[in-house]
Amino acid sequence: MSIPVLALIAFLPILVALILMVGMRMGAAKAMPIAWLVCAVSAVCVWGLPVNYVAALSIQGVISACGVLLIVFGAILLLQTLQVSGGMETIQYGMQRVSKDMRVQIIIIGMLFAAFVEGAAGFGTPSALAAPLLLSLGVPPMAAAVACLCFNSFPVTNGPVGVPTVVGVGSAVKGVVEAAGYPGGVDQFCFNMANWADFIHAPMVFILPLIVLGMVTWLYGPNKSFADGLKAWPFCLIASVCFEIPVQIISLFIGPELPSMLGGLIALGLIIPIAKAGIGVPKEVFVFGKPDTWEPEWYGDVKGSDKQPEMRMSIFMAWLPYILIGGFLAITRIWCGSMMKGKVMIGLSGILGFTADSAVKFKGVNEFIDVLWNPGVLPFIVIAILTAMIHGAVSTKPGVNFASISAQAWTSALKMMKNPAISLCASVALVKIFQGSGFNPATAAEVQAGTASFLPSMPMSMAIALSEYLGGVWYAFASYIGGLGAFITGSCTVSNMLFGLFQWNMAVETGFSKEIIVALQGVGGAMGNMICIHNIVAVCAVLGISNREGYILKRTFIPFVIYGIVAGIMGAFFISAYPNGFIM
């Protein structure tokens, strides 16, 4: 069977997911299991994998997904705890008093606060958390949705504790990195790749705020003027510098786990007093106007509440959970990780009998969750429990105590896990089949005689086919592949799992730097959050603007395209200047 035909068959599960989710508007919880089934059938019927091997790979994917779901659950639990306790209302109260200019509020909350949340929690939490804050401050729901989705981009590659890079890219390329004898192994490769990704993101950290403010003032402002947004450029520049410098330093000297979280936190600490002092803030205060002046398509069930948020506890106490998370992760990731990492492992070895030495033709199928190293357990779930205890004692919100906070937060968080669990398990199972498809069933005798004819894996088939047509300029398209993965799966992490090996193979085929090409994948997976169906649906849900997903997608698609163009230009420059990448 020819490589182009194999490539088309390999792309079929992705195409099916795209048709179901976009064309037929089917939810990911229904679409991704169907896409997994198509992938499994292709693996058996075309790549010749035994059914039990495909089943083993799928089980491996489910176990891997459970590790990610722990993080998702911990993030949601903490968010629900803060909402019930009144901590989020207090954060909202404090934000209102920083500046009355809504362009400034969008930068502080939609960009910097969301960047911090992305670094600490991720998985759609930033937009779902920041957008309601902006709504409560008087920003139209549609403007809040567009702004928050667009800003949920450059912090994502280093997103929740570096998961998109360390877990997503690391799991995808571990085998080929080790086989290539890469100095320092997969950890060093991910470190280097994350550095390149941050360099590629850098221009958009400065460009995107101007695009976003211009869009929201043009589409939703009283003057319908793009220039109204651009008038805030001095403040945008200051905010970008406050964020980007810490990000680059932390990425270069510590690693991919902390840049977004600490970069956002440091930037918030710097920009809030700057905003209060009026430095860089436009003299003419910009507001969107009263809700009764908004056009009907700007909102759905919720226009915005006239009720002002109340201070339910001290500002410090409201922010304490995030301070504890930042401190805990910084300490464990920098100084005492060896005390926790690898100490409690839950999973399976030799799944369905496929051990490392079970047969020449198959790899061992193993998967474990590193419990104490998983941020969903430590610190998210633990700190959520501590927050319920502390806020239950200090909150002035009626009826709030430890028992009531815990009951409501845990119930809400568990209810919210159903659809993410189904879609993520199916997505990661599909990814594992993609990765394992290269181990076709040739007999041991054929392997030893050198006569075995292995089909290239699904990602490799696509890489070879595309390299024949786009190989010379692949750097211009690599980020869009990452964006497609995030669009389909709803996760930069899963996009990197899905296409990380594919991008490595493309680098091999084209001769470009593996670090830079895979970094473009990480950048693409991040910018894909702008158009990610999961994120759009989540934002619409919290803002009460259901059935407007297509409208929002049209608005965020333009910044997505611009982001990819800039990423391609940066990729071309770095590949030309550093053709072999670098090893630190």
Side-chain angles (χ1 to χ4, degrees), residues 70-209:
L70 271 175
I71 302 173
V72 176
F73 175 75
I76 293 175
L77 179 63
L78 181 61
L79 173 60
Q80 292 297 318
T81 299
L82 286 168
Q83 289 178 335
V84 175
S85 72
M88 194 54 61
E89 187 177 0
T90 303
I91 291 174
Q92 177 184 332
Y93 174 91
M95 286 291 184
Q96 278 189 323
R97 280 147 183 78
V98 174
S99 173
K100 295 185 181 297
D101 192 303
M102 292 185 177
R103 292 165 297 190
V104 173
Q105 294 171 356
I106 288 173
I107 294 298
I108 294 176
I109 296 173
M111 176 179 163
L112 300 181
F113 175 66
F116 167 73
V117 175
E118 173 62 37
F123 300 99
T125 304
S127 296
L129 180 57
L133 280 174
L134 290 176
L135 172 63
S136 68
L137 295 174
V139 178
M142 203 63 69
V146 170
C148 290
L149 285 166
C150 288
F151 281 131
N152 193 207
S153 50
F154 49 78
V156 175
T157 305
N158 293 321
V161 208
V163 168
T165 297
V166 176
V167 176
V169 172
S171 64
V173 303
K174 182 177 180 180
V176 290
V177 167
E178 292 175 349
Y182 192 90
V186 69
D187 290 340
Q188 186 64 51
F189 178 82
C190 288
F191 185 95
N192 293 342
M193 166 258 157
N195 289 162
W196 281 119
D198 287 327
F199 292 148
I200 295 168
H201 276 303
M204 288 306 293
V205 175
F206 293 88
I207 297 171
L208 191 60

Side-chain angles (χ1 to χ4, degrees), residues 493-581:
T493 300
V494 180
S495 176
N496 289 343
M497 288 180 176
L498 185 62
F499 288 121
L501 180 59
F502 167 78
Q503 299 280 15
W504 172 285
N505 292 334
M506 283 300 299
V508 172
E509 290 293 320
T510 59
F512 295 145
S513 162
K514 302 177 186 68
E515 294 92 342
I516 296 174
I517 293 298
V518 178
L520 285 166
Q521 159 64 35
V523 170
M527 73 189 199
N529 277 259
M530 296 182 184
I531 58 172
C532 167
I533 297 298
H534 286 192
N535 288 354
I536 293 175
V537 171
V539 170
C540 286
V542 298
L543 294 176
I545 47 176
S546 57
N547 301 320
R548 303 290 177 84
E549 291 85 358
Y551 175 94
I552 294 175
L553 181 58
K554 290 179 182 178
R555 299 299 184 272
T556 58
F557 186 73
I558 295 173
F560 169 80
V561 172
I562 295 172
Y563 210 121
I565 292 172
V566 174
I569 293 171
M570 295 298 292
F573 170 75
F574 286 131
I575 285 173
S576 175
Y578 304 94
N580 298 318

